[in-house]
Amino acid sequence: MTFLARNLPIVLTLLLALPAAPQEKVSPPRDGPTSEKAQKTYKNAMESLHSRELVMALEGFKKADKQDDGHCAACQGKMIKYGVELQDWKAAELATQELVAEAQSKQDLAVAHHQAAVVFMDEALERRKDEYFTRAHDELTQALAAYSNFPEAVFLDGQALAHLQQDDQAKARFEQFAKMKPADDPVRQRALRYLSRPELARARMAPAFAVTTTEGKRITMDDLQGKVVLLDFWATWCAPCREALPHIRNVARKFQSEPLVVLSVSVDTDQGKWKDFIAKNEMTWPQSCDNGFTGPIAKMFGVNSIPHTFTIDADGVLQEEHVGDASIEGKLKKLLARARELQPTENQAK
């Protein structure tokens, strides 16, 4: 999972979510290229994309954007997404520069700088060079100068500053973000954790999410701090998932007295069938339904095939990811041993 895929919405979704400034019109979403030649190239690139020929598709989007004189927002969105995925940083950076140049309102400009920061964060994590965290911070400074009421930019700047070991400044950003969000916001919970432990902002944390179980209980990722989490994506129609079910059930039973939470997230779209299945098969551990691979939790974790499991340690750090029915008990035992070591300290702190 890239930083972009794990944490942040697409440009236009974020744009539409920002409140408009007084007497300022937010520019409408833009579609594909306008020139006939670019439209043909863009169409061919989309066909390559549907065939999963990603390198060819990216080259097509770059060409279409150039043919459209750098005005094709749809091309630029694809250049960012697949540029990051294929580590064609030059293409992704060019697209963000064009978005900045094309910005027609303060909100547009803020979103464009924010998107550039996302690209630099991914590039920094891949190349392991602080200069890209610095560039991300610079972009976010410009985003917030253009539009200060931008919580996502505040939070991301906290992460960039944490990676630069500027913990006091990072904590100030997380505190600022927490004041901008309601108490039940799962990302606000994450910001408060980073505020007390900024070193976690440098870790590969599981995305901050919230689910509602079949029993009507709301669970967030940060509610589970101090516990090891086995996150299991599955579906009733998935034969390998049904084969893996006894294994998951055995883990839930075997470690029920341990600081472990097994959380199963179904990508079923028929909730009636899903509820009947979990009742019939005595799936008594926490269950939630994400309504398909396009559901918010599946998208956060980049899940597009099942069964798919993630092991997450007591600090919320992603440890292992498995596609298929892999043996996970050995890793869980190690993580549980560490979680048990932490418990006395946490209890004394209370």
Side-chain angles (χ1 to χ4, degrees):
M1 290 185 293
T2 64
F3 193 93
L4 175 64
R6 287 199 311 272
N7 295 282
L8 297 158
I10 61 172
V11 175
L12 293 179
T13 301
L14 187 53
L15 171 62
L16 294 174
L18 287 179
Q23 299 181 337
E24 181 174 5
K25 184 178 180 181
V26 178
S27 49
R30 295 161 291 178
D31 296 318
T34 55
S35 80
E36 186 174 343
K37 182 182 289 186
Q39 287 173 357
K40 184 176 180 181
T41 304
Y42 182 83
K43 181 180 178 182
N44 291 337
M46 287 299 294
E47 290 174 356
S48 297
L49 186 59
H50 293 151
S51 301
R52 300 303 298 169
E53 297 171 326
L54 300 187
V55 174
M56 187 178 297
L58 177 58
E59 291 302 315
F61 293 128
K62 289 159 60 176
K63 183 177 179 181
D65 183 56
K66 186 174 182 179
Q67 291 170 336
D68 210 46
D69 297 324
H71 300 309
C72 175
C75 302
Q76 292 154 10
K78 296 291 193 298
M79 288 164 64
I80 292 170
K81 176 177 174 58
Y82 296 105
V84 169
E85 187 171 330
L86 297 172
Q87 296 181 23
D88 185 340
W89 305 114
K90 184 179 291 186
E93 289 178 23
L94 173 62
T96 62
Q97 291 167 9
E98 291 174 344
L99 285 171
V100 169
E102 291 284 296
Q104 298 177 21
S105 71
K106 290 181 179 179
Q107 289 94 329
D108 286 343
L109 185 60
V111 169
H113 282 301
H114 176 271
Q115 193 63 52
V118 173
V119 171
F120 285 130
M121 288 292 286
D122 260 318
E123 194 167 359
L125 293 169
E126 179 60 35
R127 294 186 172 185
R128 300 180 183 278
K129 291 185 178 180
D130 283 355
E131 66 180 277
Y132 296 105
F133 288 123
T134 299
R135 293 176 74 177
H137 169 61
D138 291 343
E139 292 288 344
L140 292 162
T141 300
Q142 294 181 75
L144 290 166
Y147 197 87
S148 60
N149 187 22
F150 196 166
E152 290 78 7
V154 172
F155 183 82
L156 187 59
D157 197 31
Q159 292 177 291
L161 289 164
H163 278 284
L164 289 168
Q165 305 291 328
Q166 297 179 29
D167 286 354
D168 288 342
Q169 295 93 321
K171 288 162 71 174
R173 282 301 197 199
F174 295 132
E175 185 174 16
Q176 180 184 358
F177 176 85
K179 292 176 180 178
M180 301 171 82
K181 289 292 187 176
D184 62 349
D185 187 293
V187 186
R188 181 181 184 274
Q189 285 184 283
R190 178 59 53 83
L192 293 175
R193 290 192 69 192
Y194 288 166
L195 182 57
S196 62
R197 294 185 60 192
E199 73 275 8
L200 291 179
R202 295 185 280 273
R204 186 173 177 254
M205 297 289 285
F209 66 84
V211 298
T212 301
T213 68
T214 50
E215 297 178 344
K217 182 179 179 182
R218 185 175 185 270
I219 298 175
T220 70
M221 183 63 238
D222 289 284
D223 287 335
L224 303 175
Q225 60 180 300
K227 297 182 179 179
V228 176
V229 178
L230 175 61
L231 187 60
D232 165 46
F233 289 90
W234 72 291
T236 59
W237 46 260
C238 165
C241 299
R242 293 195 298 270
E243 292 173 5
L245 176 56
H247 183 204
I248 299 295
R249 183 191 292 114
N250 182 60
V251 168
R253 290 176 176 172
K254 184 174 182 178
F255 298 105
Q256 61 183 343
S257 61
E258 299 280 0
L260 169 72
V261 173
V262 178
L263 175 60
S264 289
V265 177
S266 169
V267 294
D268 279 285
T269 53
D270 185 335
Q271 291 212 11
K273 185 175 181 180
W274 163 66
K275 288 179 179 178
D276 289 343
F277 186 94
I278 60 178
K280 181 179 179 181
N281 288 275
E282 300 180 340
M283 298 170 68
T284 56
W285 57 96
Q287 304 287 330
S288 183
C289 188
D290 208 32
N291 291 311
F293 287 107
T294 58
I297 313 304
K299 286 175 69 175
M300 279 186 188
F301 282 84
V303 172
N304 50 37
S305 59
I306 50 175
H308 203 138
T309 59
F310 296 85
T311 52
I312 303 166
D313 72 14
D315 284 324
V317 179
L318 283 167
Q319 294 293 324
E320 288 191 346
E321 176 179 359
H322 293 291
V323 179
D325 183 19
S327 177
I328 53 178
E329 289 191 32
K331 182 65 175 181
L332 287 176
K333 288 178 180 177
K334 292 179 181 179
L335 295 178
L336 286 168
R338 172 61 178 156
R340 287 192 295 270
E341 289 175 6
L342 294 174
Q343 282 186 324
T345 303
E346 291 178 354
N347 291 337
Q348 287 173 11
K350 293 178 182 179

